[in-house]
Amino acid sequence: MSKRNIVAVVGRPNVGKSTLFNALAGSRIAIVQDTPGVTRDRIYQDVEWLNHSFTLIDTGGIEPDSKDIILAQMRDQAQIAIDTADVIIFMVDVKQGLTDSDSKVADMLRKSGKPIVLCVNKVDNYNRDSMDVYEFYNLGIGEPFPISAVNKQGIGDLLEEVVSHFSKSSTDEEEDDSVKIAIIGKPNVGKSSIINKLIGENRLIVSDIAGTTRDAIDTPVKYNGKKYTFIDTAGLRRKNKIKDELEHYMIVRTVGAVERADVAILVINAEDGVTEQDAKIAGIAHESGKAVIIAVNKWDLIEKDNHSVKEFTKDIRNTLAFMNYAEIIFISAETGQRLVKLYDMIDMVSENHALRVSTGVLNEIMTQAVVMQQPPSDKGKILKLYYITQASVKPPTFVIFVNDKKLMHFSYTRYIENQIREAFGFKGTPLRFIIRERKEDK
């Protein structure tokens, strides 16, 4: 399975990064304001362009030498985005011209060893501004691509150059046939402890390979003859105590790790309960379509009665209602309680994530479902479901052909999903549905 590439947009403050981000994302997601340093956090979005799909990360502006605490934090955040990315779009401003800061940012990017695409923004009139664009060749990082993010001009040529750097990173990932598991969660919930305990009990660890995200380690492990790679998103070792800043680091690390994984294990601290931060991190795994296990850690520290597991499970299902398919396990990294069972659960959700169901069986289930619950209608027109087929796996994705898409309410799609889950389980994996119209046969 090829992994979705990650593209980071970096540059000094106020060169137009968020405007480009919004143009590519198709909606106004990043705040655009004509004041340096408005985008203080990094925002990510999945982008489709021609036959390519990738995750775009918008970053706060880099001021290489600034002593200002906010700008320094933004620089650190941008560095993490750079470490996480497969390709970097380095944006400069034709109106401001080449600055010392641009040269320093270019030096910073060169050290990353990542492919860099130089993007010269605010070229609203190419005939007038073309000579000014040539100045940026002096950065020594290749051909500058002139664009106008506001007018959406030149973006096609820019993206063509960006995607030309994708193939190598995807191929490298595909050579590894192990199941990749991202251990995700808030800081200090025990992510590293879980991996360390698993390694301690299984001496068949192959090696430690530095991961693509800063401070993350990819740990290959063999267990019962099967190969696994744990991607640890720990490593928040900075002295920064500002809660929001920690959250920013956490989100971009999580995006990077989840994109490379098949299975995401969301670690929740039993003492904290399920929090809003947990829901944000869970949302990343859900949107990426990964198989999900929720591991409630430090369960040994909780005073329990006969209803404790039931009550905690209920809280998880309420707070994370969008991923009711996720498997839940109660563990203790400290004592090792139920940790080995994680392997069985990983195998199960990984198999379900890649499960393919034959078209004939799917259509039998759908026909039966329609008989049991009549499809919705509007103004005398009744929804007709003609045909269902599975288009892809990881996650399992189904296409349903109907007479009128507008009549296929979300609730009826969910009903069909529940029937399929009842027949095949699909525990631990999201299911995706694409609704297509087909004209009625006369």
Side-chain angles (χ1 to χ4, degrees):
M1 180 186 82
S2 64
K3 304 298 180 191
R4 188 185 284 270
N5 287 271
I6 295 177
V7 178
V9 186
V10 301
R12 290 183 297 105
N14 209 30
V15 294
K17 297 184 298 298
S18 294
T19 308
L20 175 64
F21 180 85
N22 291 337
L24 294 178
S27 59
R28 200 169 182 278
I29 294 169
I31 304 163
V32 179
Q33 190 174 318
D34 196 20
T35 309
V38 164
T39 310
R40 291 193 180 167
D41 59 352
R42 203 178 313 82
I43 302 171
Y44 68 95
Q45 177 71 18
D46 289 342
V47 174
E48 305 288 332
W49 185 71
L50 299 180
N51 296 322
H52 300 277
S53 57
F54 57 92
T55 297
L56 192 70
I57 299 178
D58 186 21
T59 64
I62 305 174
E63 282 285 10
D65 297 326
S66 175
K67 299 292 184 282
D68 179 282
I69 185 71
I70 295 290
L71 287 170
Q73 287 163 0
M74 286 160 61
R75 183 172 62 236
D76 287 346
Q77 291 176 45
Q79 181 64 57
I80 292 173
I82 290 164
D83 294 340
T84 305
D86 298 298
V87 182
I88 298 160
I89 296 175
F90 175 30
M91 183 178 275
V92 292
D93 181 343
V94 77
K95 290 187 167 48
Q96 292 178 24
L98 182 58
T99 68
D100 285 346
S101 289
D102 288 327
S103 299
K104 286 171 180 170
V105 173
D107 290 341
M108 179 179 170
L109 296 180
R110 258 191 224 96
K111 289 173 188 168
S112 73
K114 304 288 178 69
I116 304 163
V117 180
L118 179 57
C119 167
V120 184
N121 191 25
K122 305 184 186 178
V123 183
D124 305 321
N125 183 325
Y126 185 73
N127 292 331
R128 182 192 67 208
D129 299 328
S130 59
M131 294 307 292
D132 295 330
V133 171
Y134 294 139
E135 179 187 12
F136 291 96
Y137 273 105
N138 291 321
L139 287 170
I141 52 175
E143 181 185 353
F145 286 82
I147 71 157
S148 170
V150 168
N151 300 324
K152 299 186 180 177
Q153 293 171 350
I155 291 177
D157 291 341
L158 175 73
L159 290 181
E160 201 166 302
E161 179 64 19
V162 168
V163 301
S164 72
H165 297 285
F166 281 178
S167 54
K168 185 178 183 305
S169 54
S170 295
T171 313
D172 291 346
E173 291 283 3
E174 285 167 12
E175 287 172 2
D176 184 358
D177 61 350
S178 64
V179 178
K180 291 169 197 65
I181 306 108
I183 309 289
I184 61 175
K186 296 182 303 185
N188 306 318
V189 292
K191 300 187 291 291
S192 296
S193 303
I194 290 170
I195 294 177
N196 290 339
K197 199 76 175 180
L198 288 169
I199 294 165
E201 289 176 6
N202 309 293
R203 300 293 175 188
L204 294 167
I205 174 168
V206 183
S207 63
D208 281 349
I209 302 166
T212 58
T213 57
R214 168 182 278 200
D215 294 330
I217 296 293
D218 282 12
T219 309
V221 175
K222 268 192 181 176
Y223 181 77
N224 282 350
K226 293 182 182 174
K227 290 191 282 186
Y228 306 87
T229 301
F230 289 98
I231 304 166
D232 181 9
T233 56
L236 291 170
R237 302 189 184 95
R238 299 174 181 274
K239 292 175 183 174
N240 191 336
K241 299 293 182 192
I242 301 171
K243 184 185 171 190
D244 287 349
E245 293 302 322
L246 281 175
E247 189 166 301
H248 300 155
Y249 291 127
M250 174 188 71
I251 292 294
V252 77
R253 282 218 179 95
T254 302
V255 172
V258 165
E259 289 297 353
R260 295 167 51 226
D262 304 300
V263 177
I265 297 181
L266 172 65
V267 184
I268 291 175
N269 185 339
E271 292 181 299
D272 295 345
V274 197
T275 67
E276 189 184 331
Q277 268 190 318
D278 293 323
K280 279 185 185 177
I281 298 169
I284 294 168
H286 175 69
E287 287 167 18
S288 299
K290 305 299 179 179
V292 179
I293 295 167
I294 298 168
V296 182
N297 191 27
K298 307 185 184 179
W299 191 241
D300 55 313
L301 303 179
I302 300 297
E303 285 188 29
K304 294 177 279 290
D305 57 31
N306 293 338
H307 305 290
S308 298
V309 168
K310 189 177 177 183
E311 289 300 318
F312 207 103
T313 300
K314 187 179 173 185
D315 285 346
I316 291 173
R317 294 300 184 205
N318 287 340
T319 308
L320 308 180
F322 55 87
M323 53 162 51
N324 56 5
Y325 53 83
E327 287 292 284
I328 300 174
I329 186 169
F330 293 83
I331 63 169
S332 166
E334 183 67 29
T335 66
Q337 181 186 15
R338 279 190 287 278
L339 267 189
V340 172
K341 290 187 178 176
L342 262 179
Y343 283 112
D344 292 337
M345 204 170 262
I346 289 165
D347 290 343
M348 178 188 70
V349 301
S350 178
E351 284 167 17
N352 287 339
H353 198 224
L355 182 61
R356 192 176 284 278
V357 181
S358 74
T359 300
V361 175
L362 280 173
N363 280 281
E364 278 178 33
I365 291 166
M366 188 176 77
T367 304
Q368 199 173 349
V370 169
V371 169
M372 289 192 296
Q373 186 170 317
Q374 189 174 347
S377 60
D378 185 39
K379 295 174 185 171
K381 188 174 185 181
I382 299 174
L383 171 70
K384 290 182 182 175
L385 285 73
Y386 296 126
Y387 188 73
I388 182 171
T389 187
Q390 186 170 351
S392 61
V393 295
K394 295 187 178 184
T397 303
F398 304 92
V399 182
I400 302 177
F401 293 90
V402 300
N403 62 331
D404 189 343
K405 277 168 74 171
K406 291 174 191 163
L407 292 174
M408 189 71 172
H409 299 161
F410 168 78
S411 57
Y412 202 76
T413 305
R414 176 55 58 89
Y415 164 67
I416 297 293
E417 176 181 341
N418 290 340
Q419 297 304 307
I420 291 171
R421 285 189 184 280
E422 205 172 293
F424 296 100
F426 280 117
K427 286 182 178 178
T429 180
L431 303 184
R432 298 273 165 86
F433 288 86
I434 299 165
I435 310 302
R436 294 261 166 84
E437 273 185 21
R438 198 180 81 180
K439 298 296 178 194
E440 291 189 58
D441 296 330
K442 292 183 180 177

